[in-house]
Amino acid sequence: MDVPAGLASQGDTGMGCLRALRSLAPTAVRGLIRHNQINVRNTSGMSAGYNQANVVILQKALADDFERFCHANSGPLPLLYRSAPGQWTCPPLSSDSDIRTDCLQYRRYEHGTYTGTATSLDTYSQQLQDMVTFYLGCSFTFESAMQKLGVPVRNVEQERNVSMYKTAVPCQAVGPFSCNLVVTMRPIPQDQLRAAVIATHPMAEYHGAPVHIGSSDFLGIRDLQNTDYGDAVQLQPGDVPVFWACGVTGVEAVLSCKPVLAFTHSPGCMFITDVKNEDAAEPRSTEVPEVVQISSDPLHYSLVSQRTADRIRALEAIIGVDPGERGITHLLTKDELLKSCLSLSHAKSVLITTGFPTHFQHQPPEETDGPPGALAIAAMLQALGKEVAIVTDERAIDMNRSIVEKAVEQGALAASVPLLSYKEDAADSALRFLCENGDPASPRFDHLVAIERAGRASDGNYYNARKINIKHLVDPIDNLFVAAQNIPGVTTTGIGDGGNELGTGKVKEAVKKYIPNGDVIACDVAADFTVIAGVSNWGGYAVSCALYLLNTCEIHERYLRRAVGFPKLSAPEPWASSLPSVSKEEKLLQILVSHGVRSGKTGNLAMEVDGLPFFNTHSEMIQRLLDVTA
């Protein structure tokens, strides 16, 4: 065959060789590989515009289980083709290939142990007669798609193999195959994250959209400079680490299975197909992903479809009305509901607090705004499989426990919620409450939510809307939110309707300017996210609806499970039944009234919240939110 000048020369520079290989057709590159005439260490960038594939070769007795393993973990192991035993070719992917010779380098495994590399498997032809070859999608495929959108590919720029890491994320086991996910990492400029996701999302057969964006700690990767496979690729100023599911997961699966004999490609040394990139995108993929930052320390982004994000924005607009004409529209901040609920969706354990003892002359002093919204959030979090607890004032524990028990009996809540109280007896009380042994590296909760919870003002007191100090009735739960600011990985949300609620310190300047008595009552303690609603309960209902929307969003659900295991979208019935409803919220309000809890604005012991009747004000709000959610 004709060899382009310089490719066979051992003195040729890697970059010069790669530039020549980028423009060659796959047939020509495979020919050069077959004749051992390429001195480049990996196939990234070769035959630009054509797809590449990972390779796993197993004994035929293991083939069915491995195929099922691929289907169960299609993110890292998108199956392109399964050969017949002893079949060297792969007709759907290439016209003249031979899997024994057409990978740049192979790995050999014996009894589950890696025993060396080879540039050809010709000498194993007899054993290969009883072996099956699996061709799996590779992320090198989408690199040119990103480059077309102007996204730099740092591993190509730096003439390095892509960085690959073992994670702490378990794949779904099948038969003898059980391993953790392997990911590739590419540094992406922050302002081009969406372009990188847009480019890769439609390419489901080549790993699709990223499975994580941000700090590697979330994946159990401690040091990006210490790769498990490939090379360490350097981040440039402004770059964000972006992780995709990787076909080298197949290597880990082979090791877990301990077969007598098996082969794979060497990581980065892929099989180059004749299939063009544009043929890799799924034409049926109509959803457009959005990238949303939900934390800066540690850095964390989430994915959601634009359609779902817009529906959550609609929920935010619905609850952002001002029935009491108190000026709360000036406190609204766009996308706080979306960001809060994305963060909650990623959390495993959530602590909720509520309770505003505005009626200091009555027993109990609580109001009907807050507990219903808190329980609506708790119900959905429980349905999603998260741990939930509620912390409130010690004096109100018995009453709240009774309310929770009655809510379960009446069907307004599916399961009970643990009730906690918080008292301070030392400077580190908040840290010890939130973390195991007071260690910030071991938080008990990922997210704290305050809904209609009395918030501390700048003078250290707690005020109701009429500037009356109620500090004697309020435990210092605010300090949990203050402490959380210094615990990496713990985020907070405040839900309020007047600016004197815990967490609304984020908008305190607007509270001081626009809310009556705001200069005195404004809460001084900020949350990461502040959800403002005309009535705080409405904010709780909206959070429940938004969590439902997120977990029934294909793009977000895949991102949550890191593209391993099967989608959970097929059985959302428990989630739907955990949404707030008019009948459930009516029962819950009846339970509160039976416990002597009064309406916030009027002090009436009646079916009203903040002076507004349940029918047809709150009931209509609930239905409007459900209409957007359905």
Side-chain angles (χ1 to χ4, degrees):
M1 64 177 295
D2 293 330
V3 181
L7 286 181
S9 168
Q10 294 304 308
D12 184 51
T13 65
M15 182 56 94
C17 182
L18 181 57
R19 277 196 293 266
L21 290 167
R22 285 183 62 83
S23 61
L24 286 184
T27 301
V29 174
R30 288 197 303 270
L32 292 170
I33 292 172
R34 190 178 304 161
H35 291 89
N36 199 26
Q37 293 181 314
I38 292 179
N39 66 334
V40 178
R41 295 171 53 213
N42 65 83
T43 57
S44 176
M46 293 187 189
S47 296
Y50 287 87
N51 302 340
Q52 300 192 25
N54 299 276
V55 174
V56 173
I57 305 174
L58 293 167
Q59 294 158 320
K60 62 183 179 183
L62 295 169
D64 287 347
D65 274 341
F66 187 72
E67 182 173 352
R68 284 191 284 269
F69 183 73
C70 292
H71 291 317
N73 301 283
S74 60
L77 302 171
L79 183 56
L80 304 179
Y81 184 66
R82 170 184 168 172
S83 79
Q87 180 187 11
W88 319 140
T89 60
C90 52
L93 304 179
S94 62
S95 58
D96 62 345
S97 63
D98 186 332
I99 197 55
R100 296 172 298 175
T101 58
D102 291 0
C103 285
L104 199 59
Q105 188 179 74
Y106 301 86
R107 281 190 165 205
R108 180 180 65 251
Y109 307 87
E110 297 175 88
H111 301 284
T113 301
Y114 165 58
T115 56
T117 62
T119 57
S120 171
L121 299 182
D122 267 337
T123 57
Y124 296 95
S125 293
Q126 184 175 349
Q127 294 95 321
L128 289 170
Q129 291 289 347
D130 290 321
M131 302 182 81
V132 173
T133 301
F134 291 86
Y135 299 82
L136 307 165
C138 168
S139 63
F140 284 171
T141 296
F142 60 58
E143 289 181 340
S144 60
M146 291 200 301
Q147 289 171 324
K148 286 181 179 178
L149 294 181
V151 180
V153 180
R154 302 294 190 206
N155 50 291
V156 175
E157 291 178 351
Q158 297 172 24
E159 304 176 43
R160 299 180 182 184
N161 198 351
V162 71
S163 303
M164 290 167 267
Y165 306 90
K166 301 176 187 178
T167 73
V169 179
C171 293
Q172 181 163 318
V174 174
F177 297 100
S178 177
C179 68
N180 285 357
L181 173 70
V182 176
V183 294
T184 58
M185 188 282 292
R186 291 169 178 80
I188 304 294
Q190 191 276 335
D191 61 355
Q192 292 178 295
L193 289 174
R194 187 171 186 270
V197 174
I198 293 289
T200 58
H201 162 67
M203 304 177 76
E205 290 190 339
Y206 299 89
H207 304 308
V211 297
H212 178 65
I213 303 173
S215 171
S216 63
D217 288 347
F218 289 96
L219 298 175
I221 302 168
R222 299 305 176 195
D223 182 4
L224 290 178
Q225 293 304 304
N226 185 20
T227 62
D228 293 296
Y229 301 99
D231 302 323
V233 176
Q234 302 303 311
L235 279 72
Q236 302 302 308
D239 281 353
V240 174
V242 181
F243 301 85
W244 281 266
C246 177
V248 176
T249 303
V251 171
E252 294 296 306
V254 168
L255 290 169
S256 75
C257 178
K258 296 181 171 56
V260 174
L261 180 67
F263 303 96
T264 70
H265 68 291
S266 283
C269 300
M270 320 308 297
F271 174 81
I272 300 175
T273 78
D274 295 339
V275 180
K276 292 184 176 180
N277 281 172
E278 51 263 35
D279 298 328
E282 292 283 347
R284 66 177 181 275
S285 180
T286 57
E287 290 280 20
V288 178
E290 283 198 22
V291 181
V292 182
Q293 184 174 348
I294 57 175
S295 173
S296 57
D297 182 21
L299 188 62
H300 193 193
Y301 293 80
S302 190
L303 296 187
V304 63
S305 73
Q306 184 177 325
R307 178 173 178 269
T308 297
D310 286 345
R311 293 170 77 182
I312 294 173
R313 290 177 180 120
L315 296 175
E316 186 175 65
I318 289 171
I319 64 172
V321 295
D322 190 1
E325 297 182 349
R326 291 175 291 175
I328 69 163
T329 55
H330 298 286
L331 313 184
L332 301 175
T333 305
K334 181 178 170 57
D335 283 347
E336 291 289 277
L337 178 65
L338 174 62
K339 293 174 184 177
S340 169
C341 291
L342 283 168
S343 179
L344 282 166
S345 186
H346 284 275
K348 294 180 180 179
S349 180
V350 180
L351 181 68
I352 302 172
T353 185
T354 190
F356 206 123
T358 188
H359 301 303
F360 57 95
Q361 294 177 320
H362 292 278
Q363 183 59 34
E366 273 72 25
E367 60 170 309
T368 50
D369 194 16
L375 293 182
I377 296 171
M380 182 55 67
L381 290 171
Q382 286 182 329
L384 295 173
K386 303 179 188 300
E387 296 180 10
V388 189
I390 292 176
V391 59
T392 190
D393 301 296
E394 187 173 35
R395 58 167 181 77
I397 282 285
D398 290 341
M399 180 192 72
N400 280 287
R401 183 174 290 114
S402 177
I403 290 170
V404 168
E405 290 173 356
K406 293 294 183 183
V408 174
E409 289 176 9
Q410 294 294 318
L413 187 64
S416 187
V417 182
L419 269 295
L420 310 173
S421 63
Y422 172 71
K423 288 289 187 180
E424 291 192 333
D425 54 19
D428 64 346
S429 291
L431 192 62
R432 287 190 287 107
F433 184 94
L434 293 174
C435 303
E436 298 288 346
N437 301 315
D439 181 4
S442 303
R444 294 188 176 96
F445 308 100
D446 304 309
H447 200 121
L448 312 184
V449 178
I451 174 169
E452 192 62 19
R453 170 70 194 176
R456 187 169 62 224
S458 58
D459 64 1
N461 292 316
Y462 296 79
Y463 297 97
N464 64 17
R466 294 179 293 280
K467 291 198 300 185
I468 297 172
N469 187 2
I470 53 174
K471 183 177 181 178
H472 62 291
L473 295 171
V474 182
D475 290 347
I477 290 172
D478 303 66
N479 289 339
L480 299 179
F481 281 66
V482 174
Q485 295 173 2
N486 297 311
I487 304 174
V490 179
T491 48
T492 57
T493 293
I495 303 173
D497 58 18
N500 56 344
E501 300 89 2
L502 176 54
T504 58
K506 186 175 181 178
V507 293
K508 66 181 178 181
E509 295 307 317
V511 174
K512 293 176 180 179
K513 184 175 181 180
Y514 295 107
I515 301 298
N517 302 319
D519 57 330
V520 173
I521 71 172
C523 177
D524 196 47
V525 180
D528 294 307
F529 312 108
T530 299
V531 177
I532 300 297
V535 175
S536 292
N537 281 344
W538 300 352
Y541 304 151
V543 167
S544 176
C545 291
L547 285 169
Y548 175 84
L549 287 172
L550 288 174
N551 284 268
T552 52
C553 167
E554 182 178 353
I555 288 174
H556 182 67
E557 189 273 341
R558 178 187 183 274
Y559 189 78
L560 280 179
R561 59 182 169 84
R562 313 297 191 192
V564 297
F566 290 108
K568 299 177 182 178
L569 301 174
S570 57
E573 290 83 3
W575 306 343
S577 63
S578 297
L579 285 166
S581 69
V582 173
S583 61
K584 282 197 294 186
E585 299 311 316
E586 180 185 14
K587 291 177 183 176
L588 187 52
L589 186 54
Q590 289 172 341
I591 292 169
L592 291 174
V593 172
S594 73
H595 282 75
V597 181
R598 299 170 179 270
S599 176
K601 187 175 182 178
T602 63
N604 291 336
L605 193 60
M607 292 292 288
E608 66 178 47
V609 180
D610 279 358
L612 303 170
F614 183 78
F615 293 104
N616 286 316
T617 302
H618 300 288
S619 61
E620 287 185 0
M621 173 58 68
I622 294 166
Q623 193 56 54
R624 288 184 67 193
L625 295 173
L626 292 174
D627 288 345
V628 171
T629 306

